[in-house]
């Protein structure tokens, strides 16, 4: 018996099956149980955080590469400009998910502003608050929080219709505010296919696939609980992205529904050490309901009327 099978049996996930009140399948139950922090019989430490500090010291010689620098051609981006000062409550109230885009181009400046404000190292490329206390700096800070300041989420720009930027897939270098070329732009139909035939995507101006660098999290947090942290990191970035788009008069559309293997292949990531977790679309539009969904609904209602 493999160790994995033994762990599942010991956790009573296979022996007892799902509890009768559990609403999802056994795989979701395994994730739920497998990522929980177990009870500990360890005595309370005399010095708080000492165990955590000792753990950090034990892995300090294996610090993963903080900055992901791919080999593709590097392109500079316009320096980010301050977003017009509008009332924050107005931005919050106007935030909405758009599902009807018009395909109009968006400026490279607006894309640069969105990438920097959402994913950039806006607080600098090192943790000065740690350095000032004589501690080693690992990670950097974005406008969104990240577990352990690891910033495990990586943004990949899908430039469909951006002025002064050739259509292609790019990786955004968060610390340097640069793009590096990853792959040529597939057809809009291919993008929609990756996104499980969500035809909303064909009229986007740009999109961002967010991956997670699991290897970063493995280094600092060996327990599978860290997978939850990876998901929450993406959730924080999603909200920031939508608010930044709203403040610039851009509509946005988030989705976690896509074919994982095809998304990973599109971005040229291995799906193990780094894997796709979410997609953010943006552009100009005027509707909260997808046009194709409206057409399908009208067709469905028409069939009912003919019965």
């Amino acid at each position: 018996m493999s160790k994995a099978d033994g762990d599942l049996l010991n956790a009573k996930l296979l022996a007892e099956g799902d509890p009768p009140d559990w609403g999802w399948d056994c795989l979701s139950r395994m994730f739920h149980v497998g990522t929980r922090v177990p009870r500990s019989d360890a005595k309370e430490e005399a010095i708080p955080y000492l165990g955590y500090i000792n753990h950090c010291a034990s892995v300090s010689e294996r610090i993963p590469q903080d900055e992901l620098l791919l080999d593709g051609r590097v392109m500079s981006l316009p320096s980010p400009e301050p977003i017009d000062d509008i009332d924050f409550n107005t931005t919050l109230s106007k935030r909405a998910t758009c599902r009807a885009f018009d395909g109009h181009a968006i400026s490279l400046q607006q894309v640069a502003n969105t990438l920097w404000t959402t994913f950039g190292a806006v607080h600098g490329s090192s943790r000065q608050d740690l350095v000032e206390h004589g501690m080693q700096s690992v990670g950097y800070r974005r406008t969104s929080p990240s577990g352990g300041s690891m910033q495990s989420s990586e943004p990949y720009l899908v430039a469909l219709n951006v002025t002064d930027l050739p259509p292609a897939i790019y990786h955004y270098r968060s610390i340097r505010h640069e793009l590096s070329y990853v792959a040529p732009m597939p057809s809009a139909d291919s993008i929609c296919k990756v996104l499980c035939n969500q035809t909303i995507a064909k009229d986007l101006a740009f999109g961002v696939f967010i991956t997670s660098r699991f290897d970063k999290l493995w280094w600092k947090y060996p327990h599978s609980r860290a997978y939850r942290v990876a998901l929450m990191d993406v959730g924080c970035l999603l909200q920031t992205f939508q608010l930044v788009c709203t403040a610039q008069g851009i509509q946005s559309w988030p989705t976690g529904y896509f074919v994982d293997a095809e998304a990973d292949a599109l971005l040229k990531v291995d799906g193990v050490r780094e894997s796709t977790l979410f997609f953010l679309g943006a552009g100009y539009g005027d509707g909260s309901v997808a046009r194709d969904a409206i057409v399908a609904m009208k067709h469905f209602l028409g069939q009912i009327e003919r019965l």
Side-chain angles (χ1 to χ4, degrees):
M1 179 186 297
S2 69
K3 182 180 184 301
D5 290 339
D7 289 343
L8 291 175
L9 288 173
N10 292 334
K12 299 182 179 180
L13 290 174
L14 299 182
E16 298 181 359
D18 296 332
D21 293 333
W22 186 256
W24 293 313
D25 61 15
C26 63
L27 292 178
S28 63
R29 173 71 176 165
M30 291 177 188
F31 174 81
H32 175 68
V33 174
T35 58
R36 297 178 74 168
V37 175
R39 289 191 177 93
S40 175
D41 295 328
K43 295 181 179 179
E44 184 176 347
E45 295 174 345
I47 303 177
Y49 286 103
L50 183 58
Y52 174 74
I53 293 173
N54 287 339
H55 168 70
C56 291
S58 70
V59 299
S60 62
E61 295 182 357
R62 305 192 304 274
I63 297 175
Q65 179 185 3
D66 189 34
E67 188 178 11
L68 182 60
L69 300 176
L70 302 180
D71 295 332
R73 183 179 71 258
V74 176
M75 302 181 63
S76 59
L77 283 168
S79 298
E81 295 179 345
I83 298 173
D84 290 340
D85 185 17
I86 64 174
D87 181 71
F88 186 60
N89 288 329
T90 301
T91 300
L92 288 174
S93 62
K94 285 187 175 181
R95 188 222 62 82
T97 294
C98 179
R99 293 182 177 84
F101 293 87
D102 57 23
H104 289 172
I106 201 166
S107 73
L108 181 59
Q109 183 66 64
Q110 287 178 302
V111 173
N113 293 345
T114 304
L115 291 174
W116 171 253
T117 309
T118 306
F119 303 102
V122 296
H123 295 282
S125 59
S126 64
R127 292 290 308 273
Q128 290 301 315
D129 54 332
L130 299 179
V131 174
E132 290 172 359
H133 290 281
M135 301 172 68
Q136 185 173 4
S137 172
V138 178
Y140 56 95
R141 293 173 62 202
R142 290 170 169 158
T143 54
S144 296
S146 175
S149 193
M150 294 306 299
Q151 304 298 352
S152 59
S153 300
E154 291 288 342
Y156 289 79
L157 173 67
V158 182
L160 291 99
N161 195 1
V162 180
T163 57
D164 300 320
L165 182 65
I169 309 293
Y170 302 91
H171 173 251
Y172 177 63
R173 297 181 170 185
S174 298
I175 294 177
R176 303 173 187 232
H177 189 56
E178 298 173 336
L179 296 177
S180 61
Y181 177 87
V182 174
M185 174 61 66
S187 67
D189 288 339
S190 296
I191 293 291
C192 292
K193 183 180 178 182
V194 172
L195 296 172
C196 296
N197 296 317
Q198 297 183 85
T199 54
I200 304 165
K202 64 185 178 183
D203 294 321
L204 296 172
F206 73 98
V208 178
F209 277 107
I210 303 180
T211 69
S212 182
R213 285 273 310 277
F214 294 138
D215 57 336
K216 276 189 174 184
L217 293 172
W218 295 337
W219 165 73
K220 191 170 184 180
Y221 304 115
H223 191 275
S224 55
R225 176 75 167 202
Y227 202 109
R228 292 194 190 187
V229 175
L231 300 177
M232 288 186 286
D233 274 11
V234 171
C236 293
L237 292 166
L238 152 64
Q239 178 71 345
T240 300
F241 180 89
Q242 286 207 289
L243 291 176
V244 169
C245 285
T246 301
Q248 296 182 94
I250 304 169
Q251 283 69 48
S252 57
W253 167 63
T255 180
Y257 190 37
F258 52 83
V259 182
D260 298 71
E262 292 185 9
D264 288 344
L266 182 68
L267 306 180
K268 298 184 178 180
V269 300
D270 62 15
V272 179
R273 299 177 66 84
E274 180 181 2
S275 189
T276 312
L277 291 186
F278 218 82
F279 178 79
L280 305 171
Y284 295 112
D286 59 5
S288 60
V289 181
R291 296 187 183 95
D292 288 353
I294 294 175
V295 171
M297 179 59 71
K298 288 181 177 179
H299 176 72
F300 174 72
L301 294 175
Q303 287 182 321
I304 294 178
E305 291 176 354
R306 288 191 293 271
L307 292 177

